[in-house]
DNA sequence: CATTCACCTGACAACGTTGTCCAGGGCCTA
DNA sequence: TAGGCCCTGGACAACGTTGTCAGGTGAATG
């Protein structure tokens, strides 16, 4: 924030305060407060005078001061990975709706999958004294949150569990979903199936890999090292990983994509292939139906809503042990599973 | 917000204040403030004592109090239509990045295209004394914002201009983009082209329709009434509109879709057709390349960034007349323009 | 007519922080 | 050694609101 050197800032537009309203209406400060808050015990006549003064001056209550006095901010903080990711938009929106129903506002921040930035955001929110926090963790150690939670900041983790502390978490069934998706490929006759997932430090990535391995094992299939690739979801890396497992000595005939970003790039890679390769992806993506992509769908809005409801239950005083809620995923089978070449190509 | 009846709240976890830190460190209140804010004029030894006390107590500065004292909140409010829409995610994210660079946090709210809700959100943000506002307007009358702007709340409108007040606006070239898109269809030999857009009270919708009409006129083509449909972007309505213009006495051979939601539904409708129908859509959508959909792309991130930069320039004291910035759109031609049938169908 | 009571109203303190201003101590210089 | 200056530290008020409490008025009751 640019720091101006001036000390007495010229106060751009001075805002009227309750004091100003009181003076103009010829009443006491507290009476204005009562009118503004709709408290009982004000004569209609007095109320009218105050209301007129408010309108005349364009007064609007300063919630900063109110917050300071009352201790509650009626706001919650949401830290997620990247608001631009289509998975997080609906999640954020769902949380906002629940917050709105509880009269709270939502502050959100993107961690960009960086643990330091996550912590920075979380602590900034705490400094603002948000009533509660919903966190999609980037880091693996949340002990830094312990004093805040002890101080009364309700906290719920979403999509991935907290690290090193005991806290509420609302998750999707990554293991089960991946297992089901891979089993689907097996059922369609595939024997050599590749797995491309996110970075191994991310809980969902390893869980989905676990699901993949479980499904393969259950089918009595060996997994070659070359078939598994965990790492960044940058398009170049995904492309390289996919091409590697498609061209090795034991080329895969199907790929399981660990999340929506991987799926998108994988679709592009596979669309250019001569021999069709099947694809199943974790997370539904727009227009996947038209491309015939089978997916393991997790409803990010439900994830968000569930977490937010849990948060507000805590804020309403419900005091139970932290729990882990796991929401089921849905396999949506579409088309043959092979990606057609792009039209006009 | 659930109101607890208790008056003296038991103060869940009592948070230590600077006073507590001062007492523990055996220094004055202001000295703690100095250390916390990294101000000069504190002996290393004193600073160490204070820092130790801070760590021991788990103190974190209460920014609510700070805000009250300083007058600036280092936060900005963003009101958009729906965070779950893939167009707004990147826009919000871009604004967040700019805000972050300026040390500010972002509060956002979705108006759900409802003018009352927009106003409610905006005024709630003002009550929190956000330093600035970025608004994607739902309503058509923003005179209610005048006192706030006069009181110093910097305001920038995005995607659509403000109604009835003079304020900064950052827009995409809806007219030019639509004209170019329709001209593209004309160039490919289409003569009967339909237009499906959003509700007529939305500025971008009417601008795009204007662009469509301009392109048709420039090509010397008449526009039949049945070829134009403005209204809600609900899938059912778009589907009905598309089917109507495809089956009338003068069926269209191409459709221009007014925004991303229309495009998505239109793609689905057209994918099921026997005779291929061309489609050009406003807004790029994920995987449009694989489906060969030509689009008029507007970069929502740039839109957001431009607006945020303008906002912070104002907050830094730059005082110029409100202006309207129009960003160009890009036509991305893909494939033949015809939608292929879904695979496996 | 005195007393009680309900109801309205306002003075005051407090929330936790920061800006202002002054006091005291150490050090340098004349 | 005295004077002055700089540097550090702290007392105090103020930001705008709300909770507490007491005063004051008028009506109802004995």
């Amino acid at each position: 924030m640019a720091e101006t050197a001036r000390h007495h800032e010229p106060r751009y537009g001075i805002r009227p305060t309750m004091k100003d309203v009181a003076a103009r209406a010829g009443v006491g400060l507290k009476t204005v407060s009562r009118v503004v808050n709709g408290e009982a015990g004000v004569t209609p006549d007095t109320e009218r005078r105050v209301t007129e003064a408010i309108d005349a001056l364009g007064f609007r209550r300063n919630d900063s001061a109110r917050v300071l006095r009352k201790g509650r901010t009626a706001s919650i903080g949401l830290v997620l990975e990247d608001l631009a990711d289509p998975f997080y938009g609906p999640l954020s929106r769902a949380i906002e709706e629940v917050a709105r129903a509880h009269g709270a506002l939502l502050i959100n921040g993107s961690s960009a999958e960086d643990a330091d930035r996550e912590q920075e955001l979380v602590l900034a929110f705490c400094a603002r004294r948000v009533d509660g926090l919903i966190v999609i963790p980037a880091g693996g150690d949340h002990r830094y949150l312990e004093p805040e939670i002890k101080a009364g900041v309700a906290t719920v983790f979403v999509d991935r569990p907290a690290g090193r502390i005991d806290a509420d978490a609302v998750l999707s069934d990554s293991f089960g979903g991946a297992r089901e998706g891979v089993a689907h490929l097996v059922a369609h006759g595939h024997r050599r199936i590749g797995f491309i997932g996110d970075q191994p430090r991310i809980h969902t990535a390893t869980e989905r890999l676990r699901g993949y391995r479980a499904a393969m094992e259950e089918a009595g299939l060996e997994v070659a090292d070359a078939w598994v690739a965990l790492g960044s979801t940058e398009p170049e890396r995904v492309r390289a990983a996919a091409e590697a497992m498609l061209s090795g000595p034991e080329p895969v005939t199907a790929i399981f994509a660990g999340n929506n970003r991987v799926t998108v790039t994988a679709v592009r890679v596979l669309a250019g292939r001569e021999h069709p390769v099947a694809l199943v992806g974790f997370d539904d993506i727009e227009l996947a139906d038209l491309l015939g992509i089978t997916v393991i769908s997790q409803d990010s809005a439900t994830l968000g809503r569930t977490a937010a409801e849990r948060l507000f239950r805590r804020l309403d005083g419900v005091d139970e042990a932290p729990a882990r809620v796991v929401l089921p995923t849905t396999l949506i089978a579409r088309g043959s599973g092979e990606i057609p070449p792009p039209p006009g190509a």
Side-chain angles (χ1 to χ4, degrees), chain A:
Chain A
M1 194 99 285
E3 204 60 53
T4 48
R6 310 164 282 187
H7 284 243
H8 281 291
E9 284 211 18
R11 278 323 200 66
Y12 212 79
I14 306 165
R15 279 184 169 275
T17 71
M18 284 193 179
K19 212 158 139 189
D20 302 322
V21 175
R24 172 155 188 143
V27 301
L29 185 55
K30 183 62 215 229
T31 301
V32 176
S33 171
R34 270 191 274 261
V35 172
V36 169
N37 293 296
E39 286 173 33
V42 180
T43 330
D45 180 59
T46 311
E47 179 172 349
R48 191 185 43 73
R49 289 217 314 284
V50 172
T51 312
E52 281 173 12
I54 287 176
D55 291 343
L57 296 174
F59 167 79
R60 188 170 317 285
R61 180 178 64 196
N62 184 334
D63 275 357
S64 297
R66 172 170 226 254
V67 156
L68 176 59
R69 184 62 233 247
K70 304 206 73 147
R72 296 243 133 173
T73 56
S75 60
I76 65 174
L78 167 64
V79 178
L80 36 69
E81 189 208 324
D82 180 4
L83 204 43
D85 185 318
F87 177 72
Y88 295 112
L91 186 143
S92 178
R93 176 67 199 273
I95 292 172
E96 186 199 332
E97 288 303 322
V98 178
R100 181 177 139 86
H102 288 260
L105 290 181
L106 181 65
I107 309 180
N108 47 22
S110 301
S111 69
E113 205 63 90
D114 173 339
D116 290 338
R117 196 160 154 180
E118 170 208 305
Q119 178 169 348
E120 184 190 307
L121 280 166
V122 164
L123 293 182
F125 291 170
C126 288
R128 304 255 165 160
R129 297 292 187 267
V130 293
D131 297 336
L133 277 171
I134 296 183
V135 182
I136 292 160
D141 186 349
H142 297 91
R143 282 174 297 178
Y144 72 87
L145 254 170
E146 264 176 342
E148 310 300 330
I149 293 174
K150 218 168 270 165
V153 182
T155 306
V156 177
F157 287 78
V158 184
D159 191 44
R160 312 166 188 172
R164 314 260 228 136
I165 64 169
D166 191 26
D168 280 324
V170 178
L171 314 172
S172 273
D173 183 11
S174 283
F175 171 79
R179 183 166 68 168
E180 188 181 4
V182 174
H184 178 83
L185 288 167
V186 170
H188 278 67
H190 293 280
R191 293 293 171 264
R192 298 194 305 277
I193 303 171
F195 178 95
I196 307 180
D198 213 327
Q199 307 181 56
R201 61 179 178 73
I202 298 175
H203 180 260
T204 51
T206 55
E207 280 296 290
R208 290 170 197 175
L209 176 56
R210 217 163 56 76
Y212 160 82
R213 290 200 187 278
M216 292 297 273
E217 193 178 331
E218 283 157 18
L221 299 171
E222 291 283 329
V223 174
D225 285 349
W227 297 350
V228 173
L230 292 191
S232 134
T233 57
E234 293 295 314
E236 310 84 65
R237 199 208 62 98
V238 172
R239 177 172 288 276
E243 276 165 359
M245 60 183 68
L246 285 166
S247 61
E250 296 178 290
V252 299
T253 63
I255 289 180
F256 186 87
N259 68 29
N260 60 349
R261 289 177 305 264
V262 173
T263 305
V264 166
T265 303
V267 171
R268 295 217 169 87
V269 173
L270 300 187
R273 308 286 303 181
E274 219 170 308
H275 295 290
V277 175
L279 176 69
V280 171
F282 213 108
D283 297 329
D284 201 357
I285 51 182
E286 189 133 78
L287 297 183
D289 52 337
L290 290 184
L291 291 164
I293 307 169
T294 295
V295 297
I296 304 300
S297 165
Q298 54 172 335
D299 183 353
S300 69
T302 302
L303 215 54
R305 196 178 325 108
T306 308
E309 278 163 359
R310 195 164 185 87
L311 185 79
F312 280 100
R313 222 178 312 131
R314 284 209 182 276
L315 286 177
D316 288 348
V318 175
D319 193 20
E320 45 193 30
R324 187 176 287 201
V325 177
V326 177
L327 300 179
T329 56
T330 317
L331 182 140
I332 304 180
R334 289 178 180 132
S336 58
E338 273 95 42
I339 309 302

